[in-house]
Amino acid sequence: MLRAWRRAAAVVALAALAFTVLALRAWDTDTMLRAAQAQGPQAVAGVKALQGVLASLNGADENAKLAAINQFFNRRIVYGSDMEVWGQLDYWASPIEMLNKGRGDCEDYVIGKYYSLLVAGVPMSKMRLVYVRATIGGPGGEVVAHMVLAYYSAPGAEPLVLDNLIGEIRPAQRRPDLAPVFSFNGEGLWQGVGEQRAGDPAGRLSRWREVMEKAHAEGFQ
């Protein structure tokens, strides 16, 4: 299983120019605040708290950024199913929508962390949103569909897993309860977490396309 996680590291590097452009447009404080104000006071409080964390990470290394953003969302957001929070079977919330509710499911945690880390300067190519089969309750336990965020520090590196089920960021080999199914980010879609692309995520995943549009409108990336 670790080999499968590692294969994704082959696509970690971004072109320097592309990253420079991303960094220049990733942080739009005013747009974030306006988007939060349109949703309500809880969204404003959440965005201000998030912006405070992001500002504190200026100049920090990527491990510090991972830890701070992972902790922020795991502590601030209470888990709730889409039916409980949105009255729908499947809804992918933007970061500010989630902060406004104060609740979200696994996809929402991952989306919030992914976009916040982009804003903090972590390259898109180092991150994958990964659908997994998660075994709950140890070997022989219930297997459920779940999503986590995987971070690859460099080509060939073992990925770190950011999860709402387990607050500690752990390397993939210490998450035998997770079996990757497919992964994606803003650049591509992959079967499992390998290096062979399986298509355009925006074209194949309509909810991902919708949430990308919402997040961009909110000032992320």
Side-chain angles (χ1 to χ4, degrees), residues 24-148:
L24 288 174
R25 61 191 178 91
W27 175 248
D28 191 337
T29 305
D30 292 340
T31 299
M32 285 184 190
L33 285 174
R34 285 195 298 270
Q37 289 165 353
Q39 296 200 40
Q42 183 158 307
V44 173
V47 165
K48 287 183 176 179
L50 175 60
Q51 289 181 341
V53 172
L54 292 168
S56 74
L57 295 174
N58 185 33
D61 64 28
E62 290 182 350
N63 284 332
K65 293 174 181 179
L66 295 175
I69 295 301
N70 189 59
Q71 183 181 85
F72 174 84
F73 284 103
N74 284 356
R75 289 185 174 180
R76 193 172 191 94
I77 302 302
V78 176
Y79 179 85
S81 69
D82 286 333
M83 186 58 69
E84 292 171 330
V85 179
W86 298 100
Q88 300 181 32
L89 288 175
D90 189 22
Y91 184 85
W92 290 21
S94 69
I96 294 180
E97 285 179 326
M98 178 173 60
L99 289 171
N100 183 50
K101 292 287 188 179
R103 303 181 71 194
D105 69 357
C106 58
E107 291 96 345
D108 302 329
Y109 280 95
V110 171
I111 290 164
K113 293 172 186 180
Y114 171 82
Y115 275 105
S116 297
L117 287 167
L118 284 179
V119 165
V122 176
M124 182 181 295
S125 62
K126 289 188 173 185
M127 296 186 287
R128 295 272 192 91
L129 298 84
V130 188
Y131 262 119
V132 300
R133 290 188 296 271
T135 302
I136 307 297
E142 180 185 8
V143 177
V144 300
H146 186 50
M147 185 185 283
V148 298

Side-chain angles (χ1 to χ4, degrees), residues 107-204:
E107 291 96 345
D108 302 329
Y109 280 95
V110 171
I111 290 164
K113 293 172 186 180
Y114 171 82
Y115 275 105
S116 297
L117 287 167
L118 284 179
V119 165
V122 176
M124 182 181 295
S125 62
K126 289 188 173 185
M127 296 186 287
R128 295 272 192 91
L129 298 84
V130 188
Y131 262 119
V132 300
R133 290 188 296 271
T135 302
I136 307 297
E142 180 185 8
V143 177
V144 300
H146 186 50
M147 185 185 283
V148 298
L149 183 65
Y151 164 82
Y152 298 84
S153 62
E158 180 182 0
L160 299 177
V161 179
L162 286 69
D163 192 2
N164 65 291
L165 294 179
I166 295 177
E168 178 188 10
I169 298 175
R170 296 181 182 178
Q173 67 177 348
R174 290 184 57 204
R175 295 301 307 271
D177 56 313
L178 304 180
V181 179
F182 72 90
S183 59
F184 60 98
N185 59 20
E187 298 175 326
L189 172 70
W190 294 266
Q191 186 68 35
V193 286
E195 71 274 12
Q196 187 66 42
R197 290 197 182 194
D200 171 19
R204 296 279 296 277

